[in-house]
Amino acid sequence: MKKYIFILNAIELLKQLLDGKYVQGVLYMDQNTGRITFKAYNRQSRPHEKDVLVKKLPWGWVKESQERLKVFGSFPKDMGTARVMGLLEDNTRDAKNALIDRELINFV
């Protein structure tokens, strides 16, 4: 049994297929016409600015995005809990100092 599928934006879909790309979408029964219809998703990446590195820390980094200040720290497990807690405090202090330096540089 043959079924015909109605394709929305068939020319654009054909261009993507000829470029060797996969086309994701939805296949559904149209309520108005009663035909099986394929509608391709409009998958476009949104341009965004990359985060700006404020300072590289010994166990992580401090970065600035448009809306947030980000602090990352990663410590090896084999150092033990007490040492990691000390390193975490040092990392936090270094991150705070980096933010102070950033404010001073931007202020001048």
Side-chain angles (χ1 to χ4, degrees):
M1 172 172 45
K2 290 185 179 181
K3 291 286 183 180
Y4 292 99
I5 298 174
F6 181 70
I7 299 175
L8 298 176
N9 297 329
I11 296 172
E12 293 175 19
L13 187 124
L14 185 61
K15 286 180 187 177
Q16 289 178 348
L17 290 174
L18 291 175
D19 289 341
K21 296 182 180 178
Y22 289 97
V23 179
Q24 294 181 343
V26 61
L27 189 64
Y28 64 97
M29 182 75 72
D30 192 356
Q31 292 179 354
N32 298 330
T33 61
R35 294 191 293 185
I36 298 174
T37 306
F38 178 78
K39 181 178 179 183
Y41 294 141
N42 187 10
R43 304 271 173 143
Q44 295 178 350
S45 62
R46 296 184 180 104
H48 65 280
E49 294 182 15
K50 294 198 174 222
D51 296 342
V52 177
L53 181 68
V54 175
K55 185 174 182 182
K56 173 85 171 82
L57 302 174
W59 299 100
W61 43 255
V62 179
K63 289 185 180 181
E64 179 182 10
S65 70
Q66 283 184 329
E67 297 179 2
R68 299 182 182 270
L69 292 168
K70 301 176 184 180
V71 178
F72 175 76
S74 178
F75 307 97
K77 285 184 176 180
D78 61 357
M79 289 186 148
T81 305
R83 183 137 186 235
V84 168
M85 289 173 62
L87 289 172
L88 185 58
E89 290 179 16
D90 293 343
N91 195 50
T92 305
R93 186 178 358 93
D94 291 343
K96 289 178 183 179
N97 289 335
L99 293 176
I100 291 170
D101 292 343
R102 181 184 63 90
E103 287 294 320
L104 290 174
I105 289 170
N106 289 342
F107 182 72
V108 174

